[in-house]
Amino acid sequence: QVRLAETGGGSVQARGSLRLTCAASGNFANTLCMGWFRQTPGKEREGVAAIDSDGNTSYGDPVKGRFTISADNLKKIVYLDLDSAKVEDTAMYYCVARDQCPYPWLLIATPLNPSYWGQGTQVTVSS
């Protein structure tokens, strides 16, 4: 069983920056891939970014060039740096993981793909 704990959510002004952190604990494979989804009320969960155990990354189109995912692979901690934040980035952000991913984009292609989910952390971007 893998447990995911997110920290770092909060409020930021538009064009500002924020870092989210997710730490995995429990029994997990070295090939664990991790990433982030987000959701706003009334909308489906949207894949944001993912990183595999080799450091390969993938991003959803709305955040490409603005968000950066990185990881401490030994400690299984993943970071999401939100830069140039936009009001439309306001959402609940969920850390996700799967024991292995052939490609990182598969983890965030659909909410059905992750095996593990965190409780979520709220990000609010104000204009």
Side-chain angles (χ1 to χ4, degrees), residues 71-92:
D72 181 330
N73 196 45
L74 185 62
K75 297 181 179 179
K76 288 305 179 187
I77 298 174
V78 65
Y79 307 97
L80 184 68
D81 289 306
L82 287 67
D83 295 313
S84 302
K86 300 179 179 181
V87 172
E88 50 265 41
D89 293 324
T90 296
M92 183 71 77

Side-chain angles (χ1 to χ4, degrees), residues 4 6-7 9 12 18 23-24 29-31 43 46 51 58 62 64 72 76 81 91-92 100 103 107 118 122 124:
L4 303 173
E6 305 102 331
T7 56
V12 63
L18 195 68
N30 289 331
T31 54
K43 293 187 177 182
E46 174 188 45
I51 186 167
S58 181
K64 283 181 180 177
D72 181 330
K76 288 305 179 187
D81 289 306
M92 183 71 77
Q100 59 181 9
Y103 305 98
L107 181 66
Q122 178 69 35
T124 302

Side-chain angles (χ1 to χ4, degrees), residues 32-49:
L32 190 74
C33 58
M34 301 177 70
W36 297 87
F37 273 79
R38 67 184 182 185
Q39 187 174 27
T40 55
K43 293 187 177 182
E44 294 185 354
R45 292 185 177 184
E46 174 188 45
V48 176

